[in-house]
Amino acid sequence: GDYSNLSAGSVGLPASEWKSKSLAIRKYHELTHFVCRALYPDNVDALRDEVIADAIGLIAAFGRYDTQLAARFLGVEGGIFREGGRLSHYVKDGELSAAVERAQGLIAEYAARIEKALPESGGDVFTLLRGNRPRGRARRRGAEPGRDCPRRRHLTAGPSSRRCPRRQRCCHRS
């Protein structure tokens, strides 16, 4: 169906084109969630993650980040929440007006980041996620790979202990 329940007419595209774009947005949106959980398993913020996933989907589908469309995906139009928008799924009751403000701030923040990073990405939308990687304690201390990971869940004995066997980006890998 139509992405975020927006009709082709409301986004100004022919129905067949919007259906194709909706599919691309949805596919990249869901892939972004998967990639973010693999890169940053301990850094979850539902609203921020939705904004990022929508941004990657928009860039994959259109080649650019449309901030107005990103806001409309969440149900924010003209600074006001549209009943039935997805934003209500990611916030607690009574926090919707604050969430509208936060969503608009996140969209503006990522628009600025994307504008700067997109030309350097070489067309690979997932490279945009690398700039959001939080720095772990071990990285800040200059830890030796495979020895000082604060999570220590994936370390093994022997020569392979220097590398995460699950190939995830840990605090000690660059």
Side-chain angles (χ1 to χ4, degrees):
D2 296 334
Y3 189 75
S4 208
N5 211 22
L6 294 177
S7 69
S10 74
V11 295
L13 293 174
S16 61
E17 185 178 352
W18 178 235
K19 184 175 182 174
S20 171
K21 300 283 189 193
S22 288
L23 183 60
I25 295 167
R26 187 178 321 280
K27 179 170 52 172
Y28 277 88
H29 176 103
E30 296 307 328
L31 281 169
T32 301
H33 285 308
F34 179 79
V35 169
C36 284
R37 289 299 61 81
L39 291 174
Y40 319 116
D42 299 326
N43 188 4
V44 178
D45 176 336
L47 182 54
R48 183 207 55 217
D49 293 352
E50 284 302 304
V51 170
I52 292 170
D54 281 347
I56 297 296
L58 279 165
I59 293 165
F62 292 98
R64 61 185 173 77
Y65 183 46
D66 182 331
T67 57
Q68 288 185 335
L69 201 48
R72 290 183 65 203
F73 287 166
L74 292 173
V76 179
E77 297 184 36
I80 299 169
F81 179 71
R82 171 182 43 82
E83 194 63 38
R86 286 184 13 235
L87 184 59
S88 62
H89 299 287
Y90 309 110
V91 297
K92 296 176 184 172
D93 291 337
E95 296 179 4
L96 201 51
S97 61
V100 166
E101 223 173 279
R102 181 163 181 252
Q104 289 178 308
L106 286 168
I107 289 168
E109 176 187 340
Y110 283 102
R113 287 183 182 189
I114 289 165
E115 185 177 334
K116 181 179 175 186
L118 192 57
E120 300 167 6
S121 72
D124 181 3
V125 294
F126 290 111
T127 60
L128 297 172
L129 297 174
R130 296 194 74 191
N132 297 318
R133 183 173 62 221
R135 304 295 182 193
R137 292 182 310 216
R139 179 179 291 279
R140 284 196 300 267
R141 286 196 317 255
E144 186 176 337
R147 298 199 192 275
D148 295 328
C149 177
R151 292 196 325 258
R152 295 193 187 278
R153 283 186 237 152
H154 59 271
L155 300 181
T156 59
S160 65
S161 66
R162 294 187 169 276
R163 193 152 187 227
C164 175
R166 292 175 23 210
R167 291 185 180 9
Q168 70 185 34
R169 294 209 178 273
C170 300
C171 58
H172 61 268
R173 284 196 53 205
S174 52

